[in-house]
Amino acid sequence: GEAFYIRDQEPGRFWSPAPLPARGSKPYTTRHGFGYSVFEYAENGISSEMWTYVAIDAPLKFYRVRICNSSGRPRHLSLTGFVEWVLGEQRGKNAMHVVTEVDRQTGALLARNPFNSEFPERVAFFAVSESQRTVTGSRTEFIGRNGTLARPAAMGRTGLSGKVGPALDPCAAMQTVFELGGGEEREIVFILGAGRDAAAARQLIGRFRDTNSARGALERVWD
């Protein structure tokens, strides 16, 4: 239910920074510590390091991705994060009730299930540290009619449609596009979490979305 993709925008080649779902052609290195995992990969002059961990003091999961261009020439890249919403005990039973929207204040993608009998007010969210992004709340659009997470339809296009709302096969997908010069690197943070209501969700997003806050959360995990 979670997937990340690095795409070289010029030839359209893509791969995942972790071994699944879109495995690259080279070997991966995976390291696990107390409270975190790290996935390292390099292909065609682009190396990446993805850290995953949860905050010890907030209902948040972090995905910190550092991408470095060692190819010696400028590269036009994108990084895409995808998660499937459940917001209940079973995805199949709850999918029809999940409503998604883009929050105007934070730019995050929010999701609610008002028919969840125990947590009807909770607001889940998926956000990225970059200000420039495209999104979709449609899993059907992202994966495609005959696609899979290993080869989603979205990786054959530039950008996501922005489609959100009710009556979708719900997901949260965010894509950010950027340039990296030779020898440059960039760190991008995705966060997945939930708040008691929309205001609490916005507070968490504002507190944790930037790269410094994500690093601080990891240091608290180490401590």
Side-chain angles (χ1 to χ4, degrees):
E2 302 174 4
F4 290 83
Y5 306 89
I6 296 170
R7 186 176 189 267
D8 191 339
Q9 297 290 89
E10 293 169 1
R13 170 98 174 92
F14 68 90
W15 59 89
S16 289
L20 290 174
R23 186 185 297 270
S25 60
K26 307 295 183 182
Y28 284 78
T29 298
T30 303
R31 297 185 285 114
H32 302 290
F34 289 106
Y36 66 92
S37 294
V38 188
F39 305 93
E40 299 174 356
Y41 185 66
E43 181 169 325
N44 196 24
I46 300 297
S47 60
S48 63
E49 187 178 271
M50 183 168 78
W51 293 69
T52 65
Y53 51 97
V54 297
I56 64 171
D57 57 350
L60 283 172
K61 182 173 183 178
F62 292 88
Y63 315 83
R64 287 177 55 222
V65 185
R66 186 169 64 214
I67 300 176
C68 180
N69 175 12
S70 57
S71 67
R73 59 184 176 87
R75 305 293 287 273
H76 186 46
L77 306 170
S78 69
L79 178 63
T80 303
F82 167 91
V83 296
E84 294 178 347
W85 295 122
V86 179
L87 305 189
E89 66 279 9
Q90 294 180 12
R91 188 177 187 281
K93 289 175 60 178
N94 292 280
M96 69 181 75
H97 302 306
V98 175
V99 180
T100 56
E101 66 174 300
V102 176
D103 183 54
R104 293 184 178 182
Q105 182 174 327
T106 63
L109 204 154
L110 308 181
R112 298 176 173 85
N113 178 5
F115 291 92
N116 185 317
S117 58
E118 294 187 58
F119 306 106
E121 303 300 323
R122 296 289 173 96
V123 176
F125 57 85
F126 192 52
V128 67
S129 57
E130 302 296 295
S131 59
Q132 299 298 319
R133 68 185 79 84
T134 57
V135 307
T136 184
S138 171
R139 180 176 177 271
T140 302
E141 172 200 327
F142 189 87
I143 297 178
R145 184 176 298 274
N146 297 309
T148 65
L149 283 180
R151 297 195 64 82
M155 288 297 101
R157 301 188 295 266
T158 301
L160 303 174
S161 70
K163 186 175 184 179
V164 294
L168 298 175
D169 182 6
C171 78
M174 286 194 158
Q175 182 177 100
T176 182
V177 180
F178 53 95
E179 302 279 347
L180 272 187
E184 289 185 345
E185 67 176 46
R186 191 182 193 110
E187 183 169 288
I188 298 171
V189 176
F190 288 86
I191 57 173
L192 172 67
R196 291 188 176 275
D197 52 29
R202 292 187 185 101
Q203 185 178 33
L204 288 167
I205 295 164
R207 178 183 170 192
F208 287 104
R209 180 172 54 184
D210 65 275
T211 55
N212 289 333
S213 296
R215 173 73 184 190
L218 178 61
E219 291 174 351
R220 289 190 289 277
V221 169
W222 284 336
D223 291 343

